[in-house]
Amino acid sequence: MSIDKTSTPAGDQSVDNPEAASAAVPTVDPRLLVREQGFAGYLGEFKRKMKAGDLGSMPVVVGLLIIWAIFTSLNSNFLTAGNFSDMSIAMVGTGMIAVGIVFVLLLGEIDLSVGSVSGVAGATFAVLNVTHGMNEILALVLAILTGTVAGAIHGAVFAKIGVPAFAVTLAGLLFWQGFMLQILGSNGTINLDADGVVAKLTSYYFTDVAAAYGLAIVVTAGYFLTAFFDNRRRESAGVPSRPLNEIIVRTVLLAVLAFAVAIVFNQYKGLPLAVVIFLAFLLFTDFVLRRTAYGRKIYALGGSVEASRRAGINVDLVRISVFAIAGTFAAIGGLFVASKIASANQGAGTGEFLMNVIAAAVIGGTSLFGGRGRTWDALLGVMVIISIQYGLALEGIASPVQYMITGGVLLATVVIDAVTRKTQKTAGRA
């Protein structure tokens, strides 16, 4: 009696139909294959990302290193401890405002009012505290809330009425600039108390060497523990995770960078308070964007408004809240700017300041088209901006040339962003 192979039990079909068997094998995540192949796998993954336009922060980091190398070769004082510390403090005011801009850019929108709002915050604090004698902490809180309210108003007009964000914030730029001039009065400048809370934001240093080294240890250990337990969670959920040796390598590299910066700070006056506050805000906002449902809604909205609305996201609420966040960070940044010059004056938030803020966010890697970016981009971008400014100032190069060079860097960044998006679409990754 012959046996019909078509009647073979399902469990034996793999013997008679090897193609079906191979098709039934579960797909392995490519990231696991990369890590199993060791260095060759990572090299191949790097080449694949380059072809697909997935450049990440690499162009910014390479560009920053080139800038430092050029200015160091031109002037040996560029990367001295004192100049590096001064640059670090100078970047905080602009960087804080750029963090808020990152939130707005993730929506694919723009906020042109942040410069004027930052000036209003500094003026509000000065008038309340110096002119009217209000308690410093209360005046500080009210100044920050001024920015929050201003941003929320812009967001409400944009979200509820439908006026383009560009037009709303352009009007806000003019209105808040006029409001700042009005409250400062005819004198135009109000000097801050040199021993006050706001003044110490940029003038206070942790002089004990243990402070800088301690922060380096905390940052390094925090990264390792976060990555380690995140991997444990991913492993328990059955999703791809980084091997322990990769986490260790990343931690070592971070430790080298963190301790190098700590050594430089300790060679001057110590760890600046402004830098500590800025890093704290960067860590917090990065957590909000990448680890919370609210952050995922912002990225989703930047990807597609209609798809987000159909998914049940309250589009208007997210938009209003994002512009309120931008206004809040504009106010915080404005207080740091006022602290740096120890006064509130009519020139705050004007001139090239707005350009530098937006340029910092974009140069750092946040896309103008929405949906891609991190708050750490603000740090990278503002480092590029401030490095160019300080480097050219050391060489005695005039402001017009500084503007042209910064504009050229910004244009190059936007071109890279546009080309990257086209490459990713071609590769099917966008």
Side-chain angles (χ1 to χ4, degrees), residues 94 98 101 105 110 352-366 368 377-378 380-382 384-385 406-407 409-411 413-414:
T94 304
I101 286 292
L105 290 177
I110 194 66
E352 78 278 7
F353 188 72
L354 174 63
M355 180 200 73
N356 288 340
V357 168
I358 297 176
V362 177
I363 289 173
T366 303
L368 282 169
D377 295 340
L380 289 173
V382 77
V384 171
I385 296 292
T406 305
V409 173
L410 176 59
L411 177 61
T413 305
V414 175

Side-chain angles (χ1 to χ4, degrees), residues 187-207:
N187 185 32
T189 300
I190 301 177
N191 294 323
L192 303 180
D193 180 6
D195 295 323
V197 173
V198 171
K200 287 185 176 181
L201 288 175
T202 56
S203 64
Y204 184 83
Y205 294 80
F206 296 97
T207 55

